């Protein structure tokens, strides 16, 4: 008896799209240093520098929605290229800026371009991959970005010691390299549907199944962003260094990469979407409960593997569910609406996470996040009927 589910080979264009996005992620480290660059080069307070960074963050929310709209109207490839080139121009503008006002303008422009290419990239996968293989394809994209993220940290550590402005130059170059790969290997956009199409003219915001996924996705994104932001702050409570968070994040990335074959195990591949996400949430809850109980770095690493396996089981399924819910003509907008969950979570996570850490300590913070994962599992099962409607894929 075969324990692995049969799998089809992903189309060449999709594999090259994933490679191109990984190349782009290799340079996606500059934003972590935006606040530092502003405060050191222009001699302003951290609060002022933070306001500029907040301007970037707020601009990413309409950027993703615009990316979804353009993906369905202008075309997938054109929108990806527009976003990548826009990011490169804005990053070069930040690198060359001679005043705080110029940096602020380019930071907002970067935010407006930053998410343009996410919805069309995700929609392109849905267009080119059969419904049965979409969860695996989205998970592979997630793994490729995780692998590139590890390389990005090494590049940042070397280039950043020289001059922070060069981080933005390197980031811009990776955007342009990604754009070249997309332009060369991805087929040109075909004609887009007209406005008279019923499915295309319907509003994604009125689809109850999509709104149910948005609610679940926002809760999951909030948990994930609190981990990313608060883990370095929480480790000193255990007598560890904040920098040890880098080790744990590397363990997480390696788990997501090495765990890809897990998705092909028949018992895992056969799980329906709601049940699969609920099982993943249980793994995440277990790992985060482990954070609350474990105080040594090796034990924290084991807990990291647990919650990362949960992430592996959830992330690809969630995007596959949204892609299946969407009419083919509106996939970009559906995926963009779902993607706003990350924008909402990015705003809420620093506030909610720091309040929990201050009031409850590290153990209380992780216990609350474990509870939130269990709530996500229950929410996933509660919307099972909505998200299990037949796929609209051709």
């Amino acid at each position: 008896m075969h324990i692995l589910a049969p799998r089809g080979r992903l189309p060449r264009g999709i594999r090259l799209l994933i490679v191109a996005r990984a190349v782009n992620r290799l340079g996606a480290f500059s934003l972590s240093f935006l606040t530092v660059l502003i405060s050191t080069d222009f001699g302003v307070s951290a609060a002022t520098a933070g306001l500029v960074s907040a301007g970037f963050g707020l601009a990413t929310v309409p950027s993703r929605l615009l990316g979804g709209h353009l993906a369905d109207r202008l075309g997938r490839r054109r929108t990806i290229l527009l976003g990548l080139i826009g990011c490169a121009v804005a990053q070069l503008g930040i690198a060359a800026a001679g005043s705080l006002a110029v940096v602020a303008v380019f930071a907002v422009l970067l935010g407006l371009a930053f998410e343009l290419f996410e919805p069309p990239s995700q929609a392109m996968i849905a267009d080119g991959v059969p419904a049965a293989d979409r969860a695996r394809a989205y998970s592979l994209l997630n793994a490729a970005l995780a692998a590139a993220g590890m390389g990005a940290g090494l590049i940042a550590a070397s280039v950043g010691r020289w001059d922070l402005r060069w981080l933005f130059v390197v980031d811009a170059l990776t955007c342009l390299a990604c754009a070249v790969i997309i332009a060369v290997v991805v087929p040109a956009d075909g004609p887009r549907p007209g406005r008279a199409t019923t499915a295309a003219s319907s509003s994604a915001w009125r689809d109850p199944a999509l709104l149910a996924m948005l609610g679940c996705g926002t809760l999951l994104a909030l948990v994930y962003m609190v981990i990313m932001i608060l883990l370095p702050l929480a480790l000193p409570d255990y007598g560890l260094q904040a920098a040890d968070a880098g080790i744990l994040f590397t363990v997480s990335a390696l788990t997501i990469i090495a765990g890809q074959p897990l998705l092909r195990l028949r018992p895992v591949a056969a799980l329906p979407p709601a049940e699969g996400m609920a099982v993943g949430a249980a793994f995440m809850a277990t790992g985060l409960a482990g954070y609350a109980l474990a105080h040594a770095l090796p034990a924290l690493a084991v807990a990291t593997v647990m919650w990362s396996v949960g992430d592996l089981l959830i992330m690809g399924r969630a995007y596959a569910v949204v892609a299946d819910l969407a009419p083919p003509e509106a996939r970009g907008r559906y995926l963009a609406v779902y993607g706003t969950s990350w924008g909402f979570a990015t705003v809420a996570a620093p506030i909610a996470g720091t309040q929990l850490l201050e009031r409850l300590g590290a153990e209380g913070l992780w216990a609350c996040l474990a509870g939130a994962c269990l709530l996500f599992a229950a929410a996933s099962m509660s919307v099972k009927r909505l998200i299990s409607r037949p796929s609209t894929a051709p």
Side-chain angles (χ1 to χ4, degrees):
M1 178 180 177
H2 296 289
I3 62 171
L4 294 180
R7 94 180 156 179
R9 185 175 177 83
L10 295 180
R12 177 176 178 270
I14 299 301
R15 287 184 277 119
L16 291 174
L17 170 66
I18 291 173
V19 170
R21 288 298 313 278
V23 169
N24 177 226
R25 178 57 64 90
L26 277 173
F29 45 70
S30 60
L31 291 174
S32 301
F33 298 91
L34 178 59
T35 304
V36 179
L37 172 68
I38 294 170
S39 59
T40 55
D41 277 26
F42 299 105
V44 299
S45 67
T48 300
L51 287 175
V52 176
S53 296
F56 160 82
L58 288 174
T60 62
V61 175
S63 173
R64 186 177 285 263
L65 294 174
L66 179 60
H69 178 78
L70 292 177
D72 292 335
R73 294 300 185 194
L74 185 63
R76 318 299 199 211
R77 191 178 77 155
R78 295 187 189 99
T79 305
I80 294 174
L81 293 176
L82 178 64
L84 290 169
I85 294 171
C87 282
V89 170
Q91 287 159 344
L92 291 174
I94 291 173
S99 69
L100 179 61
V102 174
V103 169
V105 169
F106 278 110
V108 172
L109 291 176
L110 178 60
L112 291 173
F114 194 74
E115 298 285 353
L116 284 181
F117 51 78
E118 286 291 351
S121 297
Q122 295 159 358
M124 193 175 288
I125 290 175
D127 293 342
V129 177
D133 291 327
R134 282 177 191 157
R136 180 169 61 89
Y138 285 120
S139 185
L140 184 61
L141 173 62
N142 192 36
L145 296 181
M150 291 191 295
L154 298 176
I155 295 174
S158 56
V159 177
R161 295 178 187 277
W162 181 22
D163 188 330
L164 291 179
R165 288 177 182 260
W166 281 102
L167 293 175
F168 291 88
V169 174
V170 174
D171 202 344
L173 292 177
T174 62
C175 285
L176 294 176
C178 181
V180 169
I181 296 173
I182 295 294
V184 171
V185 305
V186 174
D189 294 308
R192 307 311 303 168
R195 289 181 177 272
T197 304
T198 301
S201 62
S202 64
S203 172
W205 291 101
R206 292 197 295 268
D207 188 326
L210 177 60
L211 294 181
M213 283 300 296
L214 176 59
C216 292
T218 300
L219 178 59
L220 177 67
L222 181 61
V223 170
Y224 190 85
M225 290 306 301
V226 170
I227 295 173
M228 295 298 105
I229 295 170
L230 270 295
L231 185 57
L233 294 176
L235 289 182
D237 282 12
Y238 298 152
L240 300 172
Q241 298 293 321
D244 289 335
I247 298 174
L248 298 179
F249 289 144
T250 301
V251 169
S252 176
L254 290 173
T255 301
I256 291 172
I257 296 164
Q260 291 300 304
L262 176 66
L263 299 176
R264 289 191 60 212
L265 293 176
R266 284 187 180 272
V268 176
L271 284 172
E275 285 82 349
M277 291 190 292
V279 170
F283 271 94
M284 289 194 72
T286 302
L288 292 168
Y291 273 6
L293 299 173
H295 289 187
L297 191 59
L300 291 170
V302 173
T304 299
V305 171
M306 289 296 293
W307 72 254
S308 299
V309 169
D311 182 10
L312 173 68
L313 293 174
I314 294 172
M315 201 62 68
R317 275 187 171 84
Y319 281 103
V321 166
V322 175
D324 287 349
L325 291 174
E329 303 86 351
R331 281 179 181 146
R333 278 168 288 172
Y334 267 62
L335 288 160
V337 169
Y338 179 73
T340 59
S341 59
W342 293 96
F344 300 147
T346 301
V347 174
I351 300 171
T354 51
Q355 288 293 318
L356 288 172
L357 182 61
E358 181 179 318
R359 296 174 184 274
L360 303 178
E363 292 87 352
L365 168 69
W366 305 126
C368 286
L369 290 188
C373 289
L374 295 178
L375 179 60
F376 173 84
S380 297
M381 295 303 296
S382 70
V383 301
K384 177 180 178 179
R385 182 182 59 82
L386 283 173
I387 67 175
S388 297
R389 74 191 190 199
S391 170
T392 59

